[in-house]
Amino acid sequence: MSQNENEENAENRENPRGVQPDGKNGQLRNELSKELPPEVPPVNRAAEREAEAGAAEPAAPQPQAPEPEAPEPEPAGTDDRPDAGPDVVQPELTGRQRLVKGLWPPRASRAQLIMAVLLFVLGLGLAIQVRSTSDNSALRGARQEDLVRILDELDDRTQRLEDEKQGLVDQRSELESSSDQADEARKQTAEKQKQLGILAGTTAAQGPGITMTVTDTKGAVEADMLLDAVQELRAAGAEAIQVNDVRVVANTYLTDGSGGKGISVDGHEISRPYRFKVIGKPQDLEPALNIPGGVVQTLEKEQATVAVSRSNKIVVDALRSAKRPDYARSSSE
């Protein structure tokens, strides 16, 4: 065997896997160190030998470096300023601040808006119902004695109507049982004429009743206040009313005088003080004027003085001329 073959065999024994000389090994180590990421520790000697042995083969794909993870979002309440450190924490919100932040700006859905409108309509209906109920119970705050007085007035009014009904029934019975029906009819007609004359103001009247004097030194009493007094007396059963020298009838009207001074009754100006003469049952007329919120209290609020007195004999002598109606005629004609 020649000397060259001996040298080649010696090299094969020293490098059985065909590793290249040190010059080529150093170059492979440099390339591997460039491809590996910086955090990979350097390979040991055995790994270098294996890498040198597989240099002739195609290089396996190197593992890629892991992608950097996305930074986690900062928790609420941390400072967004660049100079704020990670340990800087904003103070916690108070309960009121959290409530305002949750309510404003409003974030309402369509269903919530519809529900709000329905609740508003329901609340409005309930408010109207409560208001109407309170208006219908005006006597709820009245005293017990006032309520008893009002009930007594209603009972007396009912009794008067029953008496009138019984009187008409008696008249019919007399007409039916009388032997001289014509004479009895004339008697009842004359009596009815007197009654109608009293109501129409064409006949003087007398009987039990009350007198009411309204003293208005400041001129604050107006015509509508006296009209309320007339209506209240009529409702209490007054049969004849006279204000100063003017007879009050069904078509009587009251107006304020010119320039707001004085009051006129059916076009006749009356002077202060205003005197009412009323025929009726005193036990019904006087309480009707003194009920809470009634005529007397209303006049006293205007700083007027009201004096009411009962009497067994009241004379109403102011008369009205009989006026023939222009269009109305008796149905018996």
Side-chain angles (χ1 to χ4, degrees):
M1 187 178 294
S2 65
Q3 184 177 358
N4 292 333
E5 290 179 354
N6 293 331
E7 292 178 358
E8 184 176 356
N9 292 332
E11 290 178 358
N12 289 336
R13 283 193 301 270
E14 293 176 1
N15 191 7
R17 295 185 179 182
V19 178
Q20 299 296 328
D22 292 341
K24 185 177 283 190
N25 291 339
Q27 182 178 1
L28 289 175
R29 281 195 299 269
N30 292 335
E31 291 179 358
L32 289 175
S33 62
K34 290 180 181 180
E35 292 179 359
L36 291 176
E39 56 268 26
V40 178
V43 296
N44 54 17
R45 191 67 181 174
E48 289 181 0
R49 291 176 180 177
E50 292 180 359
E52 291 173 355
E57 299 178 359
Q62 299 296 328
Q64 298 181 355
E67 297 180 357
E69 297 181 356
E72 297 182 356
E74 296 182 357
T78 58
D79 193 356
D80 296 336
R81 294 175 300 175
D83 56 347
D87 297 335
V88 178
V89 179
Q90 293 293 331
E92 295 183 358
L93 298 177
T94 62
R96 185 174 181 179
Q97 291 174 344
R98 288 196 298 270
L99 179 61
V100 173
K101 187 175 181 180
L103 295 178
W104 190 264
R107 296 179 293 272
S109 62
R110 183 176 180 181
Q112 292 174 340
L113 292 177
I114 295 175
M115 183 61 67
V117 172
L118 292 177
L119 291 176
F120 173 77
V121 174
L122 179 60
L124 182 62
L126 292 176
I128 295 174
Q129 181 69 23
V130 171
R131 184 181 181 89
S132 61
T133 304
S134 60
D135 292 341
N136 294 333
S137 57
L139 298 177
R140 182 174 298 176
R143 298 176 299 177
Q144 183 176 2
E145 53 269 22
D146 296 330
L147 295 175
V148 172
R149 184 184 305 170
I150 293 173
L151 290 176
D152 292 339
E153 292 178 3
L154 293 176
D155 293 339
D156 293 338
R157 193 174 303 174
T158 303
Q159 186 62 39
R160 288 196 305 270
L161 293 176
E162 291 291 340
D163 294 340
E164 292 179 6
K165 177 184 177 182
Q166 186 63 37
L168 294 175
V169 172
D170 294 341
Q171 290 179 6
R172 186 183 65 179
S173 300
E174 291 176 0
L175 287 173
E176 292 175 352
S177 61
S178 177
S179 57
D180 190 355
Q181 295 184 357
D183 186 52
E184 185 65 28
R186 282 192 298 269
K187 185 190 300 185
Q188 292 187 8
T189 301
E191 185 67 25
K192 193 67 175 178
Q193 184 178 1
K194 291 180 182 180
Q195 296 176 2
L196 294 176
I198 294 174
L199 296 177
T202 58
T203 304
Q206 67 178 11
I210 64 170
T211 58
M212 182 177 68
T213 304
V214 180
T215 304
D216 181 23
T217 57
K218 295 187 177 182
V221 176
E222 299 178 352
D224 58 346
M225 300 178 186
L226 298 185
L227 181 59
D228 291 339
V230 172
Q231 298 292 355
E232 193 67 39
L233 291 170
R234 283 176 174 172
E239 297 176 352
I241 303 174
Q242 178 178 329
V243 181
N244 286 13
D245 296 330
V246 181
R247 186 72 169 267
V248 177
V249 294
N251 58 351
T252 294
Y253 61 92
L254 289 85
T255 58
D256 293 320
S258 58
K261 297 181 179 180
I263 296 175
S264 297
V265 180
D266 290 338
H268 302 283
E269 187 173 352
I270 59 176
S271 59
R272 299 188 295 264
Y274 308 114
R275 295 184 177 88
F276 286 72
K277 293 193 291 185
V278 186
I279 295 177
K281 188 176 180 180
Q283 293 80 1
D284 297 338
L285 298 175
E286 184 179 4
L289 299 173
N290 291 315
I291 61 175
V295 175
V296 174
Q297 288 190 1
T298 302
L299 293 173
E300 289 178 349
K301 287 180 180 179
E302 301 297 333
Q303 299 182 357
T305 304
V306 182
V308 181
S309 60
R310 300 183 184 184
S311 177
N312 293 327
K313 184 179 180 180
I314 300 292
V315 178
V316 176
D317 52 4
L319 302 179
R320 301 289 293 266
S321 59
K323 182 180 179 182
R324 182 179 178 85
D326 296 331
Y327 303 102
R329 296 292 182 269
S330 175
S331 60
S332 61
E333 293 181 0

